[in-house]
Amino acid sequence: MKRGVSPVIGAVIMIGLIFVIASGYFVWTKNYSSKIWGGASGTSSCDKVNFVLGDFCYKSVGDGKEVHFTARNDASDFKLQGFLISLNYKGGTISVSVLDEIDSQSSKKLVAEFTENVEGIEQVRVAPKIKLINEFVICEEKEVIVKWAKIKEC
């Protein structure tokens, strides 16, 4: 009489084998997607970002300021998700996010609303935001700095 592996032991071995294969696949795809998307920093994806800013002006609104500008996305296959706008002034820095998707090869007029009253503004810093999988990445290496003296009132 031939004896085989009991059905319980066979099921345990089969489940263990499936678990090992699934774990290996998960590790492989995670490493592969990190190479494509540039890891958590998004550095290689930020290399694809190509944009132009213009038509800067500002308005005093209540206690704060609005900074108006036009952004053009020159990337051929990449959407911008918005910008991080920072005002550098003598007392520090204040930042706001402008989340407004800009398709490739198109432009939009945007407004950054700063609610705090700041004096002695020296410059405006504009850094693009992109979306990688489920997180936003700020491409600081693509930041544009504009001197406040060059920005006129709207």
Side-chain angles (χ1 to χ4, degrees), residues 33 37 39-40 45 81 99 130-138:
S33 66
W37 294 104
S45 293
Q81 298 298 320
L99 294 176
I130 60 173
K131 189 172 184 181
L132 298 179
I133 306 171
N134 288 327
E135 69 177 331
F136 287 100
V137 175
I138 299 169

Side-chain angles (χ1 to χ4, degrees), residues 73 78-83 98-102 128-132 135-137:
N73 182 3
F78 210 74
K79 291 183 181 181
L80 292 176
Q81 298 298 320
F83 294 92
V98 176
L99 294 176
D100 200 349
E101 190 173 275
I102 304 173
K129 282 187 171 188
I130 60 173
K131 189 172 184 181
L132 298 179
E135 69 177 331
F136 287 100
V137 175

Side-chain angles (χ1 to χ4, degrees), residues 53 56-58 65-69 83-89 92-96 98 112 114 118 120-127 143-152:
L53 301 175
F56 277 90
C57 68
Y58 73 91
K65 297 207 182 318
E66 289 182 347
V67 176
H68 297 248
F69 63 98
F83 294 92
L84 178 67
I85 317 296
S86 302
L87 295 180
N88 290 2
Y89 60 99
T93 301
I94 182 172
S95 300
V96 297
V98 176
F114 294 90
V118 293
I121 299 171
E122 298 168 351
Q123 63 186 7
V124 177
R125 302 170 71 119
V126 183
E143 181 178 70
V144 173
I145 299 172
V146 180
K147 299 279 185 203
W148 186 255
K150 293 185 177 186
I151 300 175
K152 306 293 181 207

Side-chain angles (χ1 to χ4, degrees), residues 50-56 68-74 80-83 85 98 100-111 126-128 144:
N50 186 13
F51 68 100
V52 177
L53 301 175
D55 301 330
F56 277 90
H68 297 248
F69 63 98
T70 302
R72 186 179 75 221
N73 182 3
D74 286 345
L80 292 176
Q81 298 298 320
F83 294 92
I85 317 296
V98 176
D100 200 349
E101 190 173 275
I102 304 173
D103 292 327
S104 61
Q105 302 296 317
S106 65
S107 63
K108 261 188 191 173
K109 292 186 180 203
L110 302 170
V111 178
V126 183
V144 173

Side-chain angles (χ1 to χ4, degrees), residues 2-23:
K2 289 187 173 184
R3 298 191 72 180
V5 179
S6 78
V8 174
I9 293 175
V12 169
I13 291 172
M14 188 71 102
I15 290 171
L17 185 63
I18 290 171
F19 179 75
V20 168
I21 290 170
S23 298

